[in-house]
Every structure is written in C-alpha cells, then in structure tokens.
Amino acid sequence: MSRATCATIHLDALRHNLNTLRQKAPHSRVMAVVKADGYGHGLERVARALSDADAFGVAALADAERLRAAGHRQRIVLLSGPDEAVDIAVLRDLNVDAVIHHPSQLAWLEHAAAGPPLRVWLKIDTGMGRLGFPLAEAVDIHRRLRNCPAVQKDIVCMTHFARSDEFGESMTHEQIQRFDACLQGVPGERSLANSAAVIGWPASHSNWIRPGGALYGLSSVDGRSGTDLGLRPAMTLSTRLIADKRIEAGNSVGYGAGFVAQRSMRIGIAAIGYGDGYPRLAGTGTPILVNGRRTALVGRVSMDLLALDLSDMPEARVGDPVVAWGEGLPIEEVAARAGTIGYELACGITRRVRFQEVDSR
Ligand SMILES: *Cc1c(COP(=O)(O)O)cnc(C)c1O
C-alpha cells in the first residue's frame, strides 16, 4: 500500500473563501494570489477552483506560463515584474501584466524593442521597505511610464502593507494616507489590500484587492485562525496510525529522549514527519486529531513519524485516521507551536506527499 500521508485540497473551500472575500469588498475586483504553487495547494488545481477571479497574481514567470498553458485567459500579474530585460518579450508573448518597482525595470521598458504595450502596475513603497519606488518619486515614475511606448496607459498604482494583520495598529492607516496623498491627481486604478487588509481594513479595498492566504483559509492574524475569520481551510493534511504501544512511567519517547512518561501511557505512532513538511519544531503538546478527536504530540517529530498520546483513546487502532491540520484543527494552532504561521506550513508540504482533491459542491 502507498504511504498514507495525504494532503486533501477542498475545492469548495477555495470557492467559499473567494466568495467571502468578495462579500467583504463588494466594489473591488479580485486578484487571486497563487504564488508558491498556490500557497502549496497546487497551482493548476487552485486556479481551476478560483477561475472566477478577475486576475491571478504570481511570483514567477514560469507560473504565468503554467496558467496560460492551463487555458486561463484573465489578467495575470507578475508581482515582482521582470527580472531581466529579456523577460519583457516573454511578458508580451504571454500577455502578462508587470509590476514595476525598480529603476532598472523602467529602463528595460524605455529601451524595449517595438511591440505590443505591456500592462503595468506601479509599485510604491509606503512603509513596507521591500519593493517599490519611494513616495517622492512616484508621480515622476508614473509620468515616465505613461510616456513609454512599451506601456499601456491604464497603469494601476499599488502598495503593500507591513502590519495589516494587526487590526488595531496605526501603521496600515498611515500607509493608506501616504499612498492617497502622494497620488492625488494621478489617474488610474489602485490596489493596496492583502488578505488581512481585506478583512480588517475596509478603507484599503479600492479597485483591486490582492488576497492570497485567505483564499486558502489561512490567517496571518495573531491568535486567530482562518475559521475564526469566517474562512474554511482548503487543505487537510492527514495520515494513519501505524503502531501503538504502552510505555511505563520513567520511559522516554523519541530522539533525544526528551519526553519522559510520568505514568503508564498508551502511545500511538503516526506516519508523518518533517520529511512530509510537518514542522519539527512542533513538539510535545502540539494538538493532533485521531478519529476526529483531539490529542497531543509526545516527544520530538522525526522525519517519517511522530508519536502521540493515546492514553484517553482506548478504542484507537492501527489504521485509524490522523489529521495533522485542516477541518477540525486549525493549521494556525500547529504553526504557533512551531513558532511560525500557517502560510509557511502550507507552502512547506514536500513532494512525497500525495495530493488529492475533493469537491462537495
Ligand atoms: C503575497 C502577496 C499578496 C497576498 O498576501 P496575503 O497575505 O497572502 O493575502 C498580496 N500582494 C503582494 C504584492 C504579495 O506579494
């Protein structure tokens, strides 16, 4: 039999989340962000489920190629734009929009060979400190882009938030104000909001929202799961029990012998580990479901296996289903135990894990 570890992708959850975000921002169009192989859920599969999106956002030109090859005809936006001058021709061939955030990219456009003009999103740094032109240069760059024959006239201005997942924090409000003030009188559409801003900062919705994580039911809001935010998890990571045993008080479990039983315990062994993308840093106490009921990890996670406490589950047997995260167990709870966010866990599922999709439409 094949290894039991399996990532089940719920296509109906993806659609539900897209609709939920549309309801939160009813006057905005949606760029569904599908970078990193659809946040680890599978690019083609995710794009098929979200084919109603007004645009797709990708981080790599190769992903744009895959979306066109799969037949998607809507706008695709390359979120970090061309990496070198030759990318301009590929963007044209694929009819992909380019984010322009750096003077080198502007120069490639200004020196581009004659050809069909590209659609451009002008990225402005309002405080994220990553990609984007400084506020003071934005109007001038916008003018140069408008005068550039390689660029279509309907330029979208965009910025990205550093702290939109902190709903009470003032920085997002300040970034919105800087963006608006700097672009007074500049024509064209605007785009600011990532997932957390769609949910927590209605003033940022504008013409285009750019949710990623929320589409997959992921939350970046500290202490709140995707479910808490009205989303449904699009991934369930599951496996099975492959062994059980009793250990007596004073005996240890796993590498490093870091967990020592204080009493006689029944231990289960599940066929999943960091070789599948389950975080090694999630140790003793991390929640996990056996037969849909919550119990906890015991000891260190190994490459292929982890141990869990079956002491209160006398009915559990070898072969029973184990859920690492998904429906009934928010990925955010496991991530918090590993000192990270659900986004990283979803992106980190490894190639040996079998993917299957379900659709309960
Ligand atoms: C990744 C990304 C997003 C989506 O962010 P989420 O937090 O996943 O919603 C939006 N905009 C840009 C520019 C991005 O790089």
Side-chain angles (χ1 to χ4, degrees):
M1 207 186 82
S2 66
R3 198 174 150 77
T5 314
C6 179
T8 304
I9 307 303
H10 305 270
L11 305 184
D12 48 326
L14 290 164
R15 281 195 302 271
H16 165 89
N17 295 335
L18 175 60
N19 289 334
T20 300
L21 295 168
R22 278 202 192 280
Q23 281 161 21
K24 289 188 191 289
H27 305 297
S28 309
R29 274 174 289 158
V30 181
M31 180 203 301
V33 178
V34 294
K35 60 197 186 193
D37 204 28
Y39 287 51
H41 294 62
L43 177 64
E44 284 82 2
R45 167 186 302 124
V46 164
R48 195 169 8 97
L50 300 178
S51 59
D52 283 352
D54 303 292
F56 289 114
V58 298
L61 210 37
D63 288 353
E65 259 164 33
R66 284 167 63 184
L67 290 174
R68 289 288 182 240
H72 297 287
R73 310 204 64 85
Q74 58 265 73
R75 290 173 80 165
I76 298 176
V77 182
L78 183 59
L79 290 170
S80 49
D83 292 329
E84 46 186 338
V86 296
D87 289 350
I88 304 282
V90 186
L91 288 162
R92 278 175 171 160
D93 284 350
L94 292 171
N95 187 23
V96 167
D97 298 18
V99 169
I100 298 299
H101 59 80
H102 192 268
S104 58
Q105 297 173 319
L106 184 58
W108 298 330
L109 286 170
E110 288 179 337
H111 297 110
L118 281 180
R119 277 208 281 222
V120 161
W121 299 57
L122 168 58
K123 184 146 183 188
I124 302 162
D125 184 359
T126 57
M128 176 68 173
R130 201 175 58 178
L131 298 183
F133 290 96
L135 284 161
E137 294 173 19
V139 171
D140 183 51
I141 302 291
H142 191 273
R143 189 187 46 74
R144 280 175 63 185
L145 285 168
R146 297 250 313 172
N147 290 332
C148 177
V151 174
Q152 290 193 25
K153 300 293 174 208
D154 54 346
I155 297 160
V156 185
C157 290
M158 65 183 284
T159 193
H160 196 55
F161 294 126
R163 303 184 71 175
S164 58
D165 49 3
E166 298 169 70
F167 291 162
E169 224 291 324
S170 63
M171 183 169 179
T172 301
H173 178 69
E174 285 154 20
Q175 285 192 264
I176 296 170
Q177 286 198 323
R178 283 180 208 137
F179 186 72
D180 288 347
C182 139
L183 292 174
Q184 286 254 337
V186 172
E189 295 182 327
R190 308 277 193 262
S191 176
L192 304 88
N194 58 0
S195 295
V198 174
I199 293 163
W201 298 93
S204 73
H205 289 172
S206 195
N207 305 102
W208 286 91
I209 57 171
R210 307 191 307 271
L215 293 169
Y216 311 94
L218 300 168
S219 164
S220 60
V221 181
D222 197 30
R224 294 176 73 181
S225 69
T227 315
D228 294 339
L229 300 175
L231 306 167
R232 281 171 46 193
M235 177 192 291
T236 300
L237 182 65
S238 63
T239 185
R240 291 185 184 280
L241 285 181
I242 61 165
D244 69 316
K245 59 167 44 86
R246 183 150 292 278
I247 64 163
E248 299 309 325
N251 288 347
S252 66
V253 176
Y255 285 120
F259 177 85
V260 178
Q262 301 301 304
R263 57 191 163 86
S264 173
M265 292 177 78
R266 185 168 179 241
I267 299 293
I269 307 297
I272 187 168
Y274 63 80
D276 303 293
Y278 191 95
R280 183 174 173 278
L281 290 176
T284 301
T286 303
I288 192 161
L289 304 181
V290 177
N291 291 318
R293 282 181 56 209
R294 220 172 237 261
T295 180
L297 263 58
V298 166
R300 265 194 214 160
V301 174
S302 338
M303 186 184 291
D304 308 318
L305 302 168
L306 56 76
L308 48 82
D309 187 0
L310 289 180
S311 301
D312 295 329
M313 298 183 166
E315 73 293 345
R317 293 285 174 270
V318 165
D320 282 357
V322 173
V323 169
W325 58 67
E327 201 80 53
L329 177 54
I331 192 170
E332 288 80 14
E333 280 193 51
V334 179
R337 286 280 179 164
T340 185
I341 59 173
Y343 285 49
E344 186 181 5
L345 300 190
C347 288
I349 304 290
T350 64
R351 274 179 300 177
R352 79 174 179 192
V353 174
R354 192 162 46 88
F355 276 71
Q356 65 179 25
E357 44 189 72
V358 295
D359 194 350
S360 49
R361 174 152 56 172

